[in-house]
Amino acid sequence: MEEKKRSKRRLGDQPKPVIQRWWRFRGRQWAVRIARFISRRRLPLTEREQKAALVSAFETIKSQAIKHENGKFIGLSTLFNIGLYLLIAHRDIQAIKIEALTHPDEWTRKLHARIILLTIYEWDADKVTGRQLKHAMELMLIPEDLQREAIECLRALRLVQRKANRQFTHVRNAAIAHRDPNALVQYRAIRDLNVRDVFAIGTEFFQAIDRFVNVQTRLLLAANTLPSFLNQWSATSKT
């Protein structure tokens, strides 16, 4: 009797709509796996140029931050420190984003996605920007319109961070910044995490950082004047 019941539950014995839904579901699963397999091999190639540009910018900013760490030009020191602060977060996310998207193991993908969210959550603009940036730009005699543009870039970064906080509050509190003592709450938060939504937030974060780095280049060009250097030197001598 039980054997007869089991045979009825076989796919071939199900109504046609049920069979069609099953094949559509399996087809989507296979398509996603194939796409992930292809992307895992293609993305490192397409990302190579972008990664090389990021590493080059990072090394340049890092060298200048070290050079001006204890120097007489306070404005430049602050500006390079802000740039390096942003690029460290950028490199952290860049290093794991392909794994978050393409790793064949779902748990590993979601672990990398949680690390991306944690990086964005813990990025604290107020530690290195705000009054410090405004003061630095004033010392460097940066034109007001360019000052406003730089501040707007940092505001865009804060907006991305707030968006991440709103969208992923539950998973942050349950399985990222904190660990819920109820293990099932943790598990379900991880299970329900949409990696592509995380990647979309990460992309917005990248774009906002790139925008600031581009403005930073213009700030440096605007500050490359004798009055700017003298003003910074004078301010350092008074402290």
Side-chain angles (χ1 to χ4, degrees):
M1 185 73 176
E2 284 187 19
E3 187 176 342
K4 187 176 181 181
K5 287 182 180 179
R6 283 197 299 270
S7 66
K8 286 184 178 180
R9 287 198 295 267
R10 290 167 53 188
L11 181 63
D13 296 330
Q14 300 299 319
K16 186 176 179 180
V18 173
I19 297 173
Q20 290 175 336
R21 283 198 300 271
W22 187 87
W23 278 111
R24 283 197 297 269
F25 173 73
R26 294 297 293 173
R28 284 194 296 269
Q29 282 188 320
W30 291 331
V32 169
R33 288 174 185 169
I34 292 169
R36 190 176 295 125
F37 177 85
I38 294 171
S39 296
R40 190 163 179 80
R41 283 145 185 81
R42 182 181 294 170
L43 278 177
L45 299 176
T46 58
E47 289 280 313
R48 187 175 296 169
E49 185 176 340
Q50 183 179 356
K51 183 178 179 181
L54 172 59
V55 171
S56 177
F58 177 86
E59 290 299 325
T60 299
I61 297 297
K62 179 199 70 177
S63 297
Q64 291 299 317
I66 293 171
K67 178 181 177 181
H68 292 281
E69 185 176 12
N70 298 307
K72 294 291 186 180
F73 304 116
I74 300 175
L76 289 175
S77 176
T78 298
L79 191 59
F80 285 123
N81 184 64
I82 294 171
L84 186 61
Y85 186 81
L86 295 175
L87 288 176
I88 287 173
H90 198 322
R91 286 202 70 178
D92 282 348
I93 297 174
Q94 176 76 26
I96 60 174
K97 70 177 186 179
I98 292 178
E99 293 295 300
L101 279 173
T102 68
H103 197 282
D105 178 64
E106 182 182 18
W107 193 271
T108 302
R109 291 196 303 273
K110 291 190 174 183
L111 174 60
H112 284 94
R114 283 183 284 152
I115 295 171
I116 290 173
L117 285 175
L118 180 63
T119 301
I120 295 174
Y121 289 146
E122 295 302 317
W123 181 83
D124 189 349
D126 293 330
K127 288 181 179 178
V128 295
T129 59
R131 291 182 180 177
Q132 293 183 53
L133 176 61
K134 184 169 179 56
H135 180 60
M137 291 190 295
E138 289 172 351
L139 285 177
M140 291 187 291
L141 306 179
I142 302 298
E144 288 189 7
D145 58 336
L146 192 51
Q147 288 191 39
R148 286 193 296 270
E149 190 172 350
I151 292 169
E152 184 59 36
C153 287
L154 292 173
R155 186 176 292 119
L157 275 163
R158 290 188 181 93
L159 289 175
V160 173
Q161 188 180 44
R162 289 172 193 161
K163 181 178 178 180
N165 283 330
R166 287 195 305 271
Q167 190 170 349
F168 299 100
T169 296
H170 175 62
V171 70
R172 178 193 185 188
N173 293 337
I176 299 179
H178 309 285
R179 293 281 181 167
D180 197 292
N182 186 328
L184 284 175
V185 172
Q186 274 196 64
Y187 162 71
R188 288 167 183 147
I190 295 168
R191 179 198 63 190
D192 297 338
L193 179 62
N194 188 315
V195 173
R196 293 198 172 273
D197 288 344
V198 175
F199 188 75
I201 287 288
T203 300
E204 289 185 48
F205 194 67
F206 278 165
Q207 291 170 345
I209 290 176
D210 289 341
R211 183 181 168 194
F212 179 81
V213 171
N214 289 333
V215 171
Q216 183 183 34
T217 302
R218 292 162 56 201
L219 290 172
L220 293 171
L221 289 172
N224 190 26
T225 64
L226 182 58
S228 173
F229 292 135
L230 290 176
N231 199 48
Q232 292 176 72
W233 186 286
S234 175
T236 305
S237 301
K238 293 175 182 177
T239 58

